[in-house]
């Protein structure tokens, strides 16, 4: 099973894990997401993804609409315990251990955010998370040779078909046609719409060529997370700290996690992030400028 998951991710750049959450968990998390959305839209939660900006940093003003909510593990987020239970979920952690071929004590807490139905239709351009569109083929090849040292996933609370990828593109530089394509083109050669059901997760290489298409008429609450490996160091710190996590991670408390072993797991992974921020924080910057 572990070899199959890892091989699938390596070959196509994404893998779907069905049934991560049961109906009771889905219902509880939908309620938590409604609370988070209400706080964000009323101006009581400043950590947002605001329209029409695609990448960080974002404004804290929700008046133009929002498409995401940041920092679900933040100690000041009222339902952070429910979000934490899904982030440190056994199936999520076991999948990551298989994909990274590592032990639990090598994992590092990173990001957990919420992607929601926007107030108007919204699209992300074709991109790789850690490479700007101006990167040359040589720059892409050099970056893509570096091990990922993390796992990134979307955990859907409603059926979701927002993620569009080009399978296998995480292993190579863009072709001439991909470089010349419309940034929002709907006919990228080889593109594939990743469809997941409520409770499913899709893990994907964040440097796969991908985009997002968000329909304002279709309900969406998708938990967007990443967990790192201790070997990531400077390679990972930019992706994590550019979102402002360093400002609150030392105040995190996971005492409300009830499942056996989960509290200890959470605290261990949190402490590793704290240490990473102290050692590598000066290297942080932004991968994209729009």
């Amino acid at each position: 099973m572990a070899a199959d998951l890892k091989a699938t991710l390596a070959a196509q750049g994404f893998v779907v894990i069905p049934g991560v959450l049961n109906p009771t968990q889905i219902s509880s998390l939908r309620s938590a997401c409604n609370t988070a959305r209400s706080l964000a839209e009323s101006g009581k939660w400043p950590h947002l993804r605001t329209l029409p900006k695609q990448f960080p940093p974002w404004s804290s003003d929700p008046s133009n609409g929002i498409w995401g909510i940041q920092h679900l593990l933040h100690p000041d987020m009222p339902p952070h315990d429910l979000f934490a239970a899904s982030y440190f979920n056994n199936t999520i952690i076991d999948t990551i251990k298989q994909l990274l071929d590592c032990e639990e004590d090598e994992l590092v807490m990173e990001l957990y955010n919420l992607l929601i139905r926007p107030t108007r239709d919204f699209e992300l351009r074709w991109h790789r998370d850690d490479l700007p569109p101006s990167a040359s083929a040589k720059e892409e090849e050099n970056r893509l040779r570096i091990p990922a040292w993390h796992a990134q996933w979307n955990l859907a609370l409603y059926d979701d078909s927002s993620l569009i990828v080009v399978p296998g593109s995480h292993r190579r530089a863009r072709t001439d046609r991909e470089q010349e394509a419309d940034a929002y083109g709907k006919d990228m050669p080889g593109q594939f719409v990743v469809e997941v059901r409520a409770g499913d997760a899709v893990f994907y290489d964040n440097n796969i060529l991908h985009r997002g298409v968000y329909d304002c008429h279709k309900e969406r609450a998708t938990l967007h997370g990443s967990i790192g490996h201790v070997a990531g160091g400077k390679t990972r710190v930019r992706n994590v700290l550019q979102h402002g996590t360093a400002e609150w991670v030392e105040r995190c408390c996971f005492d409300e996690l009830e499942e056996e072993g989960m509290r200890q797991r959470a605290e261990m992974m949190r402490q590793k992030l704290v240490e990473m921020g102290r050692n590598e924080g000066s290297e942080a910057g932004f991968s994209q400028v729009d």
Side-chain angles (χ1 to χ4, degrees):
M1 178 65 173
D4 291 344
L5 286 179
K6 189 173 181 180
T8 300
L9 183 67
Q12 65 182 24
F14 71 96
V15 60
V16 174
I17 309 297
V20 172
L21 301 174
N22 62 42
T24 299
Q25 292 170 318
I26 291 171
S27 178
S28 295
L29 283 164
R30 285 178 177 175
S31 178
C33 290
N34 288 338
T35 297
R37 180 165 193 151
S38 294
L39 290 170
E41 291 181 333
S42 64
K44 297 177 181 178
W45 188 255
H47 310 296
L48 311 173
R49 296 189 179 200
T50 50
L51 295 171
K53 200 167 189 301
Q54 299 189 42
F55 304 106
W58 287 282
S59 164
S60 59
D61 179 3
S63 60
N64 288 324
I66 63 175
W67 63 279
I69 299 165
Q70 302 287 92
H71 302 322
L72 300 184
L73 302 179
H74 194 301
D76 296 336
M77 169 61 71
H80 71 270
D81 55 326
L82 285 173
F83 292 132
S86 67
Y87 181 84
F88 298 107
N89 173 288
N90 287 335
T91 301
I92 293 291
I93 297 299
D94 288 345
T95 300
I96 293 171
K97 287 162 58 180
Q98 294 173 50
L99 294 176
L100 298 183
D101 192 18
C102 69
E103 299 300 324
E104 191 164 303
D105 62 4
E106 297 175 282
L107 299 179
V108 182
M109 178 181 132
E110 290 193 346
L111 305 172
Y112 210 32
N113 304 313
L114 172 62
L115 308 179
I116 61 174
R117 173 180 53 81
T119 48
R120 61 181 183 271
D121 287 350
F122 180 62
E123 300 183 10
L124 300 182
R125 62 170 169 79
W126 288 103
H127 68 282
R128 307 182 194 267
D129 283 0
D130 203 32
L131 276 164
S134 59
S136 68
K138 187 65 174 177
E139 288 170 332
E140 286 192 307
E141 290 170 356
N142 290 340
R143 175 63 187 86
L144 297 177
R145 289 193 191 101
I146 301 173
W149 295 125
H150 77 286
Q152 178 167 302
W153 72 95
N154 287 351
L155 178 55
L157 303 181
Y158 297 90
D159 295 356
D160 195 331
S161 56
S162 302
L163 177 65
I164 306 173
V165 303
V166 178
S169 59
H170 62 300
R171 296 184 285 114
R172 57 166 177 78
R174 287 169 296 168
T175 65
D176 290 343
R177 187 170 176 184
E178 288 168 346
Q179 289 181 329
E180 296 165 0
D182 186 315
Y184 298 89
K186 296 176 172 57
D187 57 353
M188 183 71 77
Q191 72 174 37
F192 179 81
V193 178
V194 181
E195 298 185 2
V196 292
R197 304 294 300 273
D200 294 351
V202 55
F203 286 79
Y204 61 100
D205 188 306
N206 74 331
N207 279 324
I208 194 172
L209 192 60
H210 67 286
R211 67 187 296 252
V213 178
Y214 311 126
D215 183 345
C216 68
H217 300 293
K218 184 177 180 181
E219 191 55 76
R220 189 182 196 217
T222 292
L223 300 166
H224 177 58
S226 70
I227 284 177
H229 187 289
V230 291
K234 294 179 181 179
T235 304
R236 284 302 299 158
V237 72
R238 180 174 63 251
N239 271 347
V240 178
L241 298 184
Q242 69 178 356
H243 292 266
T245 310
E247 298 173 6
W248 52 265
V249 65
E250 295 200 46
R251 295 198 292 116
C252 273
C253 179
F254 298 117
D255 288 348
E256 296 175 349
L257 294 177
E258 297 178 355
E259 190 166 334
E260 184 176 356
M262 188 177 288
R263 187 185 312 155
Q264 292 79 6
R265 168 191 296 160
E267 177 54 29
M268 175 195 69
M269 292 171 59
R270 183 200 70 84
Q271 185 57 41
K272 284 187 167 58
L273 177 58
V274 170
E275 293 169 359
M276 183 179 77
R278 289 171 178 165
N279 296 334
E280 313 286 2
S282 62
E283 300 291 331
F286 292 101
S287 303
Q288 310 289 346
V289 296
D290 55 345

